[in-house]
Every structure is written in structure tokens, then in C-alpha cells.
Amino acid sequence: MPLVCLTDFEAHAREQLSKSTWDFIEGGADDCLTRDDNIAAFKKIRLRPRYLKDVSKVDMRTTIQGEEISTPICIAPTGFHCLAWPDGEMSTARAAQAAGICYITSTYASCSLEDIVATAPGGLRWFQLYVHPNRQLNKQLIQKVESLGFKALVITVDAPKIGNRRHNITNQVNLMKNLLLKDLGSPEKGNLMPYLQMSPIDSSICWDDLSWFQSITRLPIILKGILTKEDAELAVKHNVHGIIVSNHGGRQLDEVPASIDALTEVVAAVKGKIEVYLDGGVRTGNDVLKALALGAKCVFLGRPILWGLAYKAAGRLLRSVGT
């Protein structure tokens, strides 16, 4: 039976993956209200169609941070893709390259950055950073991704502490130990990623720290996790290059606004000075259209990419979103 929409891919992935893996991917923080609101909020928005326009030829190409993408649907940073398919992030990178879109690689990638780049050398890649308490390690990693050809640095700001993900606690999930400990080595020997993945996120980072990041890289800096007018204005003030409106897929702080509900506030606040993107709850082409109409430059998909990997059809899944 053919899979024709994301709901089909979701159902197939649930059948294929272990319960603990499925719970890890799908779980949200606390009561999962925000996770569910991300999807429900899109369904409350209605389209106002305008007709008698020439749509015989449709070109969905656009640019993000000056780089062309084939469609405004890109791949958000999610960790541990090898849970869904053995090739993990390498398969994701190949699919993104084939589709001509941007793939944000996570700090918690289960494949090495070198392997990800080697498998899709022509792909557009950004790198998502969870800030480590050790500034020197952050600097080493940022310089590494810059040398590997990543085109932007995405700093996640909404995770000073890991969210209260009840499924992970119930299932006693310890992905760091199970997936990474065997590869853990000294960062001085170049084995930097597993060391960072095993370490805590810096909970002290604040707005004034952004100038340090800007001083050590030429990459444009994108802030991921902004939901309010006030923080959007501060982002502009601190000269970042873009914002991803996001609530971490409802996995961090529960009972915050759905991403699509926060989008218009953020877009209005930046006044066109920087690009604004969105992730969270996008499941159909109509959802993409709604986000673009409300001011997003493009959207990023998280969980659906992992569903596609579970089917080993990430590229086909991307096509199904656009229909």
C-alpha cells in the first residue's frame, strides 16, 4: 500500500521502531500540550483563496541566508538518526542534497561530521550548536564546521535545561550511554563530538555572550527557539542573521505558544531586518503555505524526517509534504 502523506509515514514508523525509540522521537515535555498544539494551531487557520491567477508554471525556489533552495521546506536539527535507520544522518544528508534543500545537522548527530559532509558534498548544511560550558571546545567545534563547509551556525537558546520528558524517564532512555560511550575519547585527540554530546549544556549563556560567538566565526548566526516579540527585538539588537521560531517540538517547556501562533509576533518585531523561519507542527503543504503567508521565509521539519528514515525514503517524504 503506497504511503501518500505524512500520516502514512508516521503510522509506518510507529510499526517499525521499538517502543522506546518511538517514545523518544514522539515524546514531549510534561503533558505534551505544546507538542499537540503545534499541529492543532495550524488547523485553526483558514486560507483566503484568490483565483484567476496564472499558475501554469510554479517555481518554489527561494533563498535563505543568500543560498538558493529548491523549495521552502528544509530539515530541522534532530539527534540520533541512526535510531531510525543505520546510515542515520548520512541518509538524511543525501536526501537533502538530492532535494536541493538545507539540512541543519544536530550537535547530537550519530554520524561524524566528516562522514555527513563526505556523503553529500554538494548539499547546503547549517550546524546546530548546544553551547558547551567550555568556551574552547565551542570554538574548536565551530571552527571545524566552518572548515567543513557548513554555511550557518544555529544556536539553540531554549534548552538551558533538558525538558521533563516523561517517556524517556519511564523507559529509562540513556542515549548518550548506549550510543556514544563506546566512542568517547579525549577532545585533545580530535574526538570532539562524542565528548560534547556527553557533556551538559551551558545554562549560563545570555545575550551578551553572542558577541563572543560572532568574534570567532564568519558564519551567519541563527537563533533557534525564539517565541516572543521581546526576544526577537533583542536578536536584532545583537546583530544575529536569523531566527527560527520554535518551541523545540514541545520537548522543552510545556504550555508555551504553538510555533505558528508565535510567528506573527516575531515577524512584526524584526521588521524585515533579519530572516525568520519556523519549525514545529508542519505536516501538510497547506501548513507550509500558512507559515509563508504569515511571514516565515521557510519551514523546517523535525519528526517527519525521522519517520521517512524509518521507511528509508526521506527524499520521497519531502515530496509528500509539498503536495
Side-chain angles (χ1 to χ4, degrees):
M1 183 175 179
L3 306 185
V4 298
C5 64
L6 291 194
T7 302
D8 293 342
F9 282 94
E10 180 182 13
H12 183 273
R14 186 165 194 164
E15 292 176 357
Q16 296 298 311
L17 300 173
S18 70
K19 181 180 183 302
S20 61
T21 295
W22 178 257
D23 287 348
F24 170 75
I25 293 171
E26 292 303 304
D30 292 314
D31 294 320
C32 298
L33 296 175
T34 295
R35 181 200 65 181
D36 297 342
D37 279 351
N38 275 342
I39 298 172
F42 272 105
K43 307 313 173 191
K44 297 176 183 177
I45 300 171
R46 294 293 177 265
L47 302 174
R48 298 182 65 250
R50 299 289 306 278
Y51 297 118
L52 293 177
K53 301 286 186 178
D54 183 358
V55 292
S56 58
K57 297 180 181 178
V58 177
D59 184 353
M60 294 196 296
R61 290 177 298 173
T62 186
T63 60
I64 52 174
Q65 299 301 319
E67 300 279 348
E68 184 176 290
I69 53 177
S70 65
T71 185
I73 307 168
C74 297
I75 300 178
T78 53
F80 307 116
H81 287 199
C82 69
L83 290 171
W85 185 257
D87 282 351
E89 288 81 6
M90 291 190 291
S91 286
T92 306
R94 288 192 293 268
Q97 177 178 271
I101 60 172
C102 179
Y103 164 38
I104 308 179
T105 304
S106 170
T107 295
Y108 291 112
S110 47
C111 298
S112 74
L113 298 178
E114 290 84 355
D115 286 346
I116 292 169
V117 171
T119 198
L124 174 60
R125 295 174 302 276
W126 294 356
F127 182 75
Q128 175 270 330
L129 177 70
Y130 284 115
V131 178
H132 189 275
N134 185 317
R135 286 287 179 90
Q136 188 60 31
L137 292 182
N138 290 317
K139 183 176 180 180
Q140 289 177 37
L141 180 55
I142 292 168
Q143 291 175 340
K144 180 177 182 177
V145 300
E146 190 166 356
S147 70
L148 286 171
F150 286 78
K151 297 299 185 182
L153 178 66
V154 178
I155 300 177
T156 295
V157 300
D158 62 358
K161 300 289 183 182
I162 297 299
N164 186 33
R165 301 170 192 175
R166 296 175 185 172
H167 285 304
N168 290 356
I169 298 170
T170 301
N171 294 328
Q172 297 182 330
V173 170
N174 190 339
L175 292 173
M176 312 316 187
K177 180 178 179 180
N178 295 339
L179 296 176
L180 302 169
L181 194 55
K182 63 180 183 297
D183 297 321
L184 183 59
S186 167
E188 286 76 18
K189 295 180 180 179
N191 203 8
L192 188 62
M193 286 292 283
Y195 183 83
L196 287 166
Q197 292 168 337
M198 290 287 291
S199 303
I201 299 170
D202 187 354
S203 60
S204 71
I205 184 173
C206 59
W207 288 101
D208 290 341
D209 293 315
L210 293 177
S211 60
W212 179 81
F213 289 98
Q214 291 162 336
S215 75
I216 64 169
T217 183
R218 294 169 295 177
L219 296 176
I221 292 177
I222 317 295
L223 298 186
K224 180 179 182 294
I226 300 297
L227 290 171
T228 65
K229 167 182 179 289
E230 293 82 0
D231 280 350
E233 291 173 343
L234 284 168
V236 172
K237 179 180 178 181
H238 286 83
N239 300 311
V240 305
H241 292 80
I243 286 171
I244 301 179
V245 176
S246 171
N247 52 43
H248 217 105
R251 296 167 68 84
Q252 274 304 111
L253 182 62
D254 201 15
E255 301 183 52
V256 299
S259 295
I260 192 65
D261 287 341
L263 177 62
T264 51
E265 177 179 334
V266 172
V267 168
V270 305
K271 299 177 180 177
K273 296 177 182 177
I274 60 176
E275 292 182 351
V276 177
Y277 321 108
L278 174 140
D279 74 23
V282 177
R283 298 293 183 267
T284 67
N286 273 5
D287 294 343
V288 178
L289 174 59
K290 291 170 185 178
L292 298 180
L294 292 174
K297 184 72 169 174
C298 80
V299 302
F300 289 88
L301 302 181
R303 291 182 179 93
I305 299 302
L306 298 173
W307 304 340
L309 278 177
Y311 189 72
K312 191 56 173 69
R316 181 181 168 197
L317 178 142
L318 289 166
R319 290 192 295 273
S320 76
V321 178
T323 59

